[in-house]
Amino acid sequence: MTEPVVHIDNLTIQYPNNLVLNSLDWSIQQGENYIIGGTSGSGKTTIAKAIAGLIFTDNTVKVTFDDSKSLPAKVTYISNWYQFTNLEGDRNFYYQQRYNHHQGHDTLTVKAELEHFAKKENLDFSDIQQRVQDFGFEDVQSSQLIELSSGEHKKLQLVRGLWEKPQLLIIDEPYTGLDKNSRVVLNNWLDELVQEGVQLILITNDTLLPQSINRYAHLVDGKIEIVDSQADFAKDKKRQQKELPAFLRAIPETNFDTVAELNNIFIRYGDKVVLKDVSWKINVGEKWLLQGPNGSGKSTLLSLINGDHPQAYGHNLSLFGNKRGSGESIWDIKQKIGIISPEIHWYFDQNATVWHTIASGFYDSIGWFIDVKFQEKTQIEELLEFFDLMDVKNKNLHTLPLGKQRLALLARTIIKNPPLLVLDEPCQGLDNDQTKYFNDVVDELAHYGKTLIYVGHYVSQLPSCIEHKIVLEKGEVKAIENILETVA
């Protein structure tokens, strides 16, 4: 009998006041390709990192490679986030930096990053060119890493990891930020790799999976349980319906009829056109869906509206009834907007507690803020109670399960009851129940006069309040519709 690929014997991992894995035993045999799912915070990422050798396990985890295979005898772990660095090797970036093109040259280009990786791993760059094209990733080869959207960063992670063809490939949330076509491309590629001898462990609650997946497991009370299908995965508790805090049931005061009006907007970086002749009008109280493939210009378009893009000046752009550049400050604009995005999550202060995270929404900061007033403290406490975050209010945001992190950031987004909510792929990495919880809250907020811009790829994962849709493709408006059509 051949040895298992992975054998775990009595693995225990404990963080301060938190037992994550408890005397866990697990064996993965040749040919078994697993999905690990289950509740938020159950230890899925921890066990993946333990198998990949990224967490000390005191020899309780053994990985056995097949010497008869031509594939590299290694485990490759692809994390949920892409940890890129600047040219000096550190990660000291700030949120708006990706829009300041003159500062973008602090990082490698996509092509240079891939060439560097090829040299390091002794890979042939020509082997990956068709994959890059299939992913719709060829147009960003000259872009700096810091200029990429979250979906494009995920593609770069995946291209690097799958290019290696390791004997064991572990991907944490493989579909985060990917558009519909890219998910299909990824699943087909994974199936091809399995045919070549790669073994898979995917951490996801997504249901659109590679055909090669043949095993399912979840974590319960720190131990692994093998189940028959994803339907058997443990789920987070259903949301208990609560009344919105009174301050959020107050319709925001507005002395304008139009939240944003963009006319024939062109944005370019050198020879690269990011937005081309884009026009869009958003009236007070409208609920919009913004869609488009990865790299279509969605993030850049939103950056014009939320005040972060330096090229907003000099364009025919009005926000909240005032032409951009007519004397209002960026803080005047931000006071009227609540925003959540993968980029804000990525750049958020790693030392911020949940309480400080929510409080920072009053001042539109992603870290330090001045002392809050009594009424503001009251609103923070009301949102902590509303989102069931009271018991973790003094914990660092980044130590929480992803679902609770997203809820804390939603609380930050709405803390000042702004007239405009911009929710840019807010449910990345959440399972269907968590997504429904999140979107149910958005629907409740929508009843009280909020204007909404929501970015999402799948109609099944959207709030029901959406009324209009705008679709971008390669920087151009391809459709503006008043009735939401099923995108699937």
Side-chain angles (χ1 to χ4, degrees), residues 456-476:
H457 292 296
Y458 284 77
V459 70
S460 61
Q461 299 176 349
L462 302 175
S464 60
C465 63
I466 299 291
E467 304 165 328
H468 312 282
K469 179 174 70 173
I470 180 170
V471 181
L472 294 184
E473 186 176 318
K474 294 185 177 180
E476 298 185 70

Side-chain angles (χ1 to χ4, degrees), residues 340-400:
I340 182 173
S341 71
E343 288 76 21
I344 286 179
H345 197 169
W346 168 252
Y347 289 110
F348 210 84
D349 184 355
Q350 292 290 294
N351 296 315
T353 65
V354 171
W355 197 95
H356 288 98
T357 295
I358 299 173
S360 71
F362 282 117
Y363 307 100
D364 302 295
S365 66
I366 55 175
W368 172 253
F369 62 95
I370 62 176
D371 194 25
V372 296
K373 306 177 182 68
F374 174 79
Q375 181 56 42
E376 293 171 341
K377 290 180 181 178
T378 300
Q379 291 178 206
I380 294 169
E381 295 295 316
E382 289 178 350
L383 283 181
L384 286 167
E385 179 65 33
F386 179 75
F387 285 116
D388 297 318
L389 295 170
M390 193 66 76
D391 61 329
V392 296
K393 70 176 184 178
N394 295 319
K395 292 188 176 182
N396 282 7
L397 178 72
H398 79 279
T399 66
L400 300 185

Side-chain angles (χ1 to χ4, degrees), residues 259-265 267 278 280 282 300-326 328 333:
V259 166
E261 186 168 4
L262 299 82
N263 295 292
N264 309 113
I265 301 295
I267 298 292
V278 171
W280 186 18
I282 305 168
T300 301
L301 180 59
L302 292 179
S303 71
L304 293 170
I305 294 173
N306 65 37
D308 285 325
H309 204 294
Q311 292 190 42
Y313 299 99
H315 287 82
N316 191 352
L317 167 63
S318 295
L319 299 176
F320 307 107
N322 296 313
K323 183 172 174 57
R324 190 76 169 92
S326 60
E328 84 293 350
I333 294 170

